Amino acid sequence: MTKVLIVEDETNIREMVTERLEEEGFAVVSASTFAMGQRLFASEQPDLVILDWRLPDGQGIELLKQWRQSGATTPVVFLSARVELIDKVLGLELGANDYITKPFEMRELIARLRVQERWLAGQFQSGDASNSARLESHGVTLELGSHDVFYHGEQLSLTRKEFSMLHLFLSHPGQVFTRDELLDQVWGYDQYPETRTVDTHVMQLRQKLSNDLIETVRGVGYRWVKNNPNLTNN
Ligand code: CA
């Protein structure tokens, strides 16, 4: 049974998540403070952690830093009401495995935990799941280790940026990304391409895949058509 530690000071969220995860067959231990999270992480040795950003006695990110510095690779999914991208990026750079912004749907949180759970299972089996993890959606397969991309079984040749963009879309189906967000996440802060570069790359991806898969949300940006992607290991 996968053991999840949730560190969250908002009682209603903590209880709702605990209840739903138990229904899903997870074992759950919960903490409402930084100090308690620190203690339970050491004593309970959870398989996965759901970590709130802002705790009454400290920042979730500081807990994560401590764990990573001590060599723990336990997958951590951040819960945060803060939507600033820099925070998300920081969280991921410091070793968070995923993040979800409040308010969120339980279904989405569970789907993300399942992804981490499969990653753990793959790691346990092969010793290195990162080489065999893949994302699949609407006939598109992204091999995360080799960076190979297939569309209905046919291998495509993508540039590095096209791959990064596709990776971002497939990781967040249905989520709308503005051009600025795409620039930040795909190109990074150190480069300043023009926003129409994003349009060009979307156009190229549509040509290589299909026009239907990346939707234009008028006045906002782009999104991948919604579905339930599978992250599988082979
Ligand atoms: Ca909080």
Side-chain angles (χ1 to χ4, degrees):
M1 192 184 272
T2 303
K3 189 193 278 185
V4 179
L5 167 64
I6 172 167
V7 187
E8 163 66 78
D9 60 313
E10 287 173 63
T11 309
N12 55 345
I13 295 183
R14 196 174 61 246
E15 288 179 349
M16 177 185 73
V17 170
T18 300
E19 189 178 325
R20 281 287 284 121
L21 291 187
E22 284 175 351
E23 280 169 21
E24 292 285 327
F26 291 96
V28 184
V29 284
S30 69
S32 56
T33 63
F34 182 101
M36 203 169 157
Q38 198 173 30
R39 202 163 60 235
L40 286 180
F41 184 82
S43 63
E44 297 285 336
Q45 303 193 338
D47 302 301
L48 301 174
V49 179
I50 301 169
L51 185 56
D52 184 25
W53 195 280
R54 195 171 297 186
L55 295 161
D57 53 343
Q59 302 259 332
I61 195 79
E62 294 301 325
L63 264 185
L64 174 65
K65 269 195 227 170
Q66 285 182 12
W67 295 336
R68 291 295 180 254
Q69 275 164 12
S70 73
T73 56
T74 317
V76 172
V77 176
F78 255 104
L79 274 185
S80 173
R82 304 174 63 176
V83 294
E84 294 93 334
L85 272 171
I86 185 72
D87 286 347
K88 293 178 176 177
V89 170
L90 259 180
L92 295 175
E93 278 178 358
L94 285 170
N97 301 78
D98 204 351
Y99 59 81
I100 191 162
T101 48
K102 297 175 186 174
F104 60 91
E105 287 186 30
M106 275 307 301
R107 259 188 329 189
E108 193 184 355
L109 178 62
I110 288 164
R112 284 163 187 247
L113 289 179
R114 293 285 182 215
V115 168
Q116 299 303 329
E117 202 179 27
R118 276 184 224 120
W119 179 83
L120 277 176
Q123 233 201 6
F124 185 66
Q125 280 162 15
S126 67
D128 186 6
S130 61
N131 286 332
S132 56
R134 61 163 74 136
L135 283 165
E136 290 174 333
S137 177
H138 295 282
V140 179
T141 303
L142 236 70
E143 300 281 355
L144 300 182
S146 62
H147 282 211
D148 287 331
V149 180
F150 299 89
Y151 186 49
H152 293 299
E154 193 179 322
Q155 186 159 9
L156 301 180
S157 170
L158 298 190
T159 66
R160 195 194 292 241
K161 295 298 181 204
E162 288 167 355
F163 182 91
S164 298
M165 189 180 274
L166 195 57
H167 187 190
L168 185 66
F169 279 135
L170 261 67
S171 308
H172 304 85
Q175 180 178 329
V176 183
F177 290 94
T178 65
R179 289 176 178 80
D180 282 338
E181 285 170 342
L182 288 166
L183 282 176
D184 285 343
Q185 302 220 4
V186 175
W187 279 264
Y189 293 100
D190 51 335
Q191 297 174 55
Y192 297 95
E194 297 173 45
T195 48
R196 69 187 156 89
T197 309
V198 172
D199 301 329
T200 311
H201 278 73
V202 167
M203 199 175 70
Q204 286 164 198
L205 274 178
R206 281 175 172 161
Q207 279 168 4
K208 291 180 179 180
L209 300 164
S210 151
N211 281 329
D212 315 329
L213 297 177
I214 302 171
E215 297 174 338
T216 302
V217 181
R218 204 171 287 276
V220 186
Y222 297 105
R223 73 174 164 214
W224 188 257
V225 287
K226 197 161 185 132
N227 76 331
N228 297 310
N230 302 307
L231 185 76
T232 54
N233 296 297
N234 56 357

